[in-house]
Amino acid sequence: MNGTPRRGPGGFPGTPQTNRRDGAPSPNASTSTPSRPNVRTPLPKVPTATEQSSSGPLIPTNILDAASQRAYLFLFYILLVGWKLYDFYTLAIEEDKSLMSCLKWCFLDMVFIFGVPLLEIPWLEWSNATAFLLFVLHAGLDVMLMFRIGVPLQAWAFSLVAFLWDSELAISERSVKPGPILHNASLILGKQIINILPEGSAILNPEKLSFCLNSTVTHVEIPILINQTEPVEIELLRIDIENNQNETIVIKKGELKSLLKKARKSVRTTDPTSPLLLRHTVKKTGIYLLKKVLDHSKLEVRPRLANVIVANCPSALVKPAGDNRCRNDLSDVTLEVQGIPPLSIKYRLTVNGKPREASEFQSLQPDDFISPLSRHTSQALIRSGRENISWAKSHKITVALNETLTNSGVWTYAVEEVKDALGNFVSYINHDDEERPKPKAVGLQQSFKVHERPNAMLSGCNPQNPLRVPKGHTAPLPVTYGSTGKTAIDSPHTIEYLFTPEADLLMDGYHHPDAQLHTQTVKSVWEKPKILESGLYTLKSVSTDFCKGEVLEPASCLLQNPPMPELSLSKEDIVDKCAGNPIGLRVGLDLIGSPPFYVRYTRQKDHRKFAPEKIQIATLRSTLDLTPTEAGHYTYTFDSISDSVYDERPLRDLALSQSVKPPASARFIEHNRPQQACIDDIAEFDVGLRGEGPWKLEYELVHNGKRKKYSVDIDEPHYTIKTEKLTNGGEYTVSLASITDKSNCKMFLKEEAKVNVRHERPKAYFGHIEGKQNVMALEGKAVELPLRLTGTGPWKLVYENLDTKELLQTNVMRANDNLAIKIEGTYHLVSVHDSVCPGFIDKKASQFSVGWVPRPKLSIPTSASMIFEGGNFIKEAVCEGDEDSFDVTLTGNAPYEVKYEWFMKDTRSGKRMEKSDKHLRAPGGSTSIRVETAKAGTYEYKFSEVADSKYDHSKRHFSPIIVQQTVNLRPSARFNTPGKTYSYCSRESDGEEVIPMTFEGVPPFYLEVEIKHSGTPKPEISIHKNIPSTKFDLKIEHRKLHLGHSAISIRKIRDARGCTLKPPPGSPRVLISVHDAPTATPLEDRTDFCVGERLSFALGGQVPFTIYYTFEKQERKASNAGTTFRRLAELPGTFTITGLRDSASECLASLNLVKEIHPIPSVRLSGGQVSEVDIHEGGGTNLDFTFTGTPPFEFTYTRSTNAVRGKKSKVLEIRTEISHEHHLSIPVQEEGTYEVISIKDRWCSFARQIEGVEVKAGQKLLTY
């Protein structure tokens, strides 16, 4: 019965629990050795079910569970009561008294009451004292019934009602029973039973390890710890996980000798009493229990309840789902996990060789599956082998991974770890670890390549700029490929495009409804689709081998086939009028095609062909003069023609012929202008000759009226005339007199050429402007600097800007020309050269200075009210209707003309509401601009043009200046409910009624209200500053309130921008009414209470009352019909009465009555569970106490004899200890049952009696 929980006063018994601790190795010890590759650390301990007592109920629970036994016993009791009432009814009808009936029922009740504990049914194992009390009650009832003694039913009914409905209001405003609060047995929990170990013991899997098997690990060694015994036979019970079938495994003496030998060798000790760890090899999965152990003396060693679960190792794989994806697709990867749920899996994503942080899924289990391992350990779930173990079966679970593929490249999902509910752990990344099962690396990762998506567009062609292609020729469709990456995808592309022939295009130039859809694949991005027919081509789609892309604009191209070029000729002879001989042909050319045209023809003289000649013709009609310079028979053959579209194509049967005899002639080559020469130079003149040679040329040299004749015979068609040295200055003339050719036909000539011989060297210098060689000019206008030159033009003049060090050169055509200057600076003449000879610079007049007249400027002076920020000037904000202005400073040449505009933006909508253009004429350098403040908003003044008496406005030299100013709306205030009457208390309180107001403007606000008391002529002013928001609850100072009625109106309102509004008289107002306030007084002066105590307060005022209080920061409200307010403290926390209102008015009195409620301390021995610890004689263990409450803790615990069937447990000793911490460990070495009977902290205490425990004389329990 030591495992049977007791029902404490006011509570139900706890669930039977146990936490057995023995001398086995600690679970925190090393959990793996080289000989056990699959041993993992045990699962964390969770609360486990109570281990049943070795005695158990008289009727085994495997035949009839405890709950059913209690139900049948209760039914039997009801039958007895019915039989008893039947006997009572019979006696009442016969009006008789029966002593035998009374004795019969007293005997039956005694047998029932004292016989129930012998069945050892949990919760019905009452003590002898309890049985005696129950018998006395039943015997008294039997006497009353059988002897028809009046039964006090009314008194009993009242008692029953008081027991069932004995409740009162707690702080939470709900009815609670004080009994469970005052007698909460859960405050003291836990019991530690210490047993001195018998001669020997055996335990299976002492460290509560888990094992698993797979294709790599085919067997495991399960540990069996024996202590002070040498077994000769061990029976193991194996439960098959799949079919729940049991199998008994017997380890015989021979095998045990081998196991013992290995165990002694591993510990290396000769002490026969030392514990030994036997390792039995199993090759099947299942649940193994230690069923029976026999030692060498044929005595059965008591095995401890423990088990070993050998399961299939958890596994995981990545399901294959294709090797290619597109960028921005979903990954669509599935993980498959198999094992005992709930499972956990860790996987890692690697993108382009760069691993990312590992991801983990936990608590993986089927949808309709709830694992008991989340609440209990496997040790608590399996004890006798008859339990349902379907939870230990392996399940297969799939996990879908879908994430956006944002990067291209190789993505790899790889499984790293998998773990099942038992703690079996498989790692796929460290196969060198001999302590873990080695999985086969199949399907552990899935790699796929993420490809970029392609895009395409047309370049260099659209319907407005068509593609002109010769008829019958193909042309590449100008497709440009790209991708979502940085470069185009180097792979085949498939494009789809629509084609409509040019004749079928709609009137608006779009495709015909019956347009053809073509599909073509190109091998690389450099390959273009070939198109032939004229019409409209439009790209519709583009894709690669893996991904579909996007078509960008422009996507349409118009292909046209212009007509082929053609040529037709007409001719006319060119005849010499003097001799009458033909001297050439004039050919007319008529063309068809696309200009410009290129015509190639071949000229042939007699039998000699010349190189082909090519002419360009820009129009559809032209003429060509063919005039050879030499006599002979000429044939002109037109060979080919081409235009801007068609390449060169041959011409057939287009030839012209003519015999040409040109007359004799001579002319100067390049004699359009007279030559210039210096003194003593030689002049040369090139002469070209025509006709049939040889020739005789006669010419003359004329100077100063003197003529000198020359004659020369010439064989070549080109001759150079060289004069003698020209020793005199002046003009020389060389004239051609006559020429005679082979036919002795003398032709007189009129050709002449001149040469001017200079008398002196040229000179250059600057002239004056208004007598000075410096000038101030308007910027941007060219300044003409006067130049003075001697010599013959044109002159090449070199000059320098000394300020910029820039060397310039110009050609001057006139001797008194001007030098145009556009950049200010000092200009210096460097050198001069006229058309013939170099010259010199006059040093006295070689420099000229040029400066600019300053342009007008507009600026805004900055000050405290005008700042420059963000590229604009910001004027200090003003209020609506206030007068304001700002200054403008002007520099330049007065008077000034300024153009500006202003516009206003609405502060709420941001839209321009008003706009106006302004012109300003300022006689001086400073002026003032009056700003607009009639309406609230944001005003912007933009100065766009400025001019003065010298300069007009120039956009290049003046950037607009913007001045911004905000005109703030005046604030406003109003009562939310004008005309309403508000109630106030004469004493200030937190819950008073407030007057809600609404402001418009920018907080914080400044408010003045006027309070007009009834019967008082002069009002009071209440000022409220720094109101932080537009919603305000107006509270009037109590010193300004008078009993009775008063009127409140708004006197003035001002916001954070300094704008003020005074409402006109007669504005809406509100009324207030002032009343006296109720009071509350605590009936106890102390402020600290314990859970279960009552808080009482005396209330003053008119009943009923409404009490406002907070408990643990939660506001509550209670109604009280009397003058005493009482509540039961059911929970710890801070209780504060914050307000009180009575029925006389709505006046809420603000209170601050604080009471601190402390929790009743609690203590847990052995974690609040019933635990058994087996120690050796002379050994020891610790009692672990855990406290809750406020230190220091004073507690009393007892040591009693261990419970034995049929024998009462006696208290052996009582001890009292004090702990200043929340945890305390006390070492003990004596056998017994240790229990705590009382606990006390700084504030509260709790004590309980232990049923069935006798206290020795002289020992007393602690009382508080």
Side-chain angles (χ1 to χ4, degrees), residues 195-197 228 1174-1180 1229 1231:
N195 299 310
I196 301 297
L197 281 175
Q228 296 186 351
D1174 297 332
I1175 61 175
H1176 297 289
E1177 188 70 33
Q1229 294 180 328
E1231 185 179 49

Side-chain angles (χ1 to χ4, degrees), residues 1020-1141:
E1020 287 194 58
I1021 305 301
S1022 178
I1023 298 176
H1024 303 268
K1025 302 179 180 179
N1026 296 323
I1027 300 173
S1029 67
T1030 57
K1031 299 294 183 181
F1032 178 58
D1033 292 333
L1034 177 63
K1035 297 181 180 179
I1036 306 299
E1037 301 175 32
H1038 271 260
R1039 61 185 179 83
K1040 296 182 180 181
L1041 296 179
H1042 296 176
L1043 290 176
H1045 295 279
S1046 303
I1048 298 180
S1049 58
I1050 300 172
R1051 187 170 182 267
K1052 184 169 67 174
I1053 176 70
R1054 184 173 67 242
D1055 65 358
R1057 298 177 297 199
C1059 298
T1060 304
L1061 177 69
K1062 293 182 179 181
S1067 298
R1069 62 181 184 172
V1070 295
L1071 302 176
I1072 61 174
S1073 179
V1074 182
H1075 307 273
D1076 284 328
T1079 60
T1081 305
L1083 295 180
E1084 296 183 68
D1085 293 337
R1086 62 191 178 110
T1087 59
D1088 294 293
F1089 290 80
C1090 294
V1091 171
E1093 295 186 320
R1094 293 165 181 82
L1095 309 178
S1096 301
F1097 300 87
L1099 307 179
Q1102 184 68 38
V1103 295
F1105 297 91
T1106 301
I1107 300 97
Y1108 299 87
Y1109 64 93
T1110 60
F1111 182 68
E1112 287 301 284
K1113 298 181 180 180
Q1114 184 176 359
E1115 298 182 355
R1116 302 177 185 271
K1117 181 174 72 172
S1119 298
N1120 201 71
T1123 57
T1124 300
F1125 175 66
R1126 176 178 295 177
R1127 288 293 182 271
L1128 178 68
E1130 61 168 329
L1131 295 172
T1134 302
F1135 176 85
T1136 305
I1137 294 181
T1138 59
L1140 179 65
R1141 177 179 284 128

Side-chain angles (χ1 to χ4, degrees), residues 86-155:
Y86 176 77
D87 285 352
F88 171 73
Y89 176 77
T90 304
L91 292 174
I93 294 298
E94 297 176 355
E95 295 185 356
D96 194 5
K97 299 178 182 179
S98 176
L99 177 62
M100 292 305 296
S101 295
C102 180
L103 293 177
K104 178 187 72 173
W105 282 111
C106 288
F107 175 77
L108 291 177
D109 288 339
M110 181 183 66
V111 172
F112 180 83
I113 292 172
F114 286 92
V116 167
L118 299 180
L119 299 177
E120 296 185 0
I121 300 174
W123 294 9
L124 297 178
E125 298 174 270
W126 47 63
S127 64
N128 292 335
T130 303
F132 178 77
L133 179 61
L134 292 174
F135 170 72
V136 170
L137 293 176
H138 282 73
L141 182 62
D142 294 339
V143 171
M144 291 180 187
L145 292 175
M146 299 307 145
F147 290 96
R148 290 186 295 169
I149 299 174
V151 180
L153 296 177
Q154 185 176 3

Side-chain angles (χ1 to χ4, degrees), residues 59 66 127 145 170 195 206 269 287 332 336 393 435 441 493 495 516 725 902 928 955-956 974 1013 1151:
I59 301 174
S127 64
L145 292 175
N195 299 310
T269 179
I287 301 174
D332 191 20
E336 185 175 277
K393 292 183 179 180
E435 296 183 5
H493 286 62
I495 63 171
Q516 305 169 20
K725 286 186 178 181
W902 66 266
S928 179
K955 292 183 179 180
R956 189 166 63 90
R974 69 176 186 276
H1013 302 294
L1151 302 173

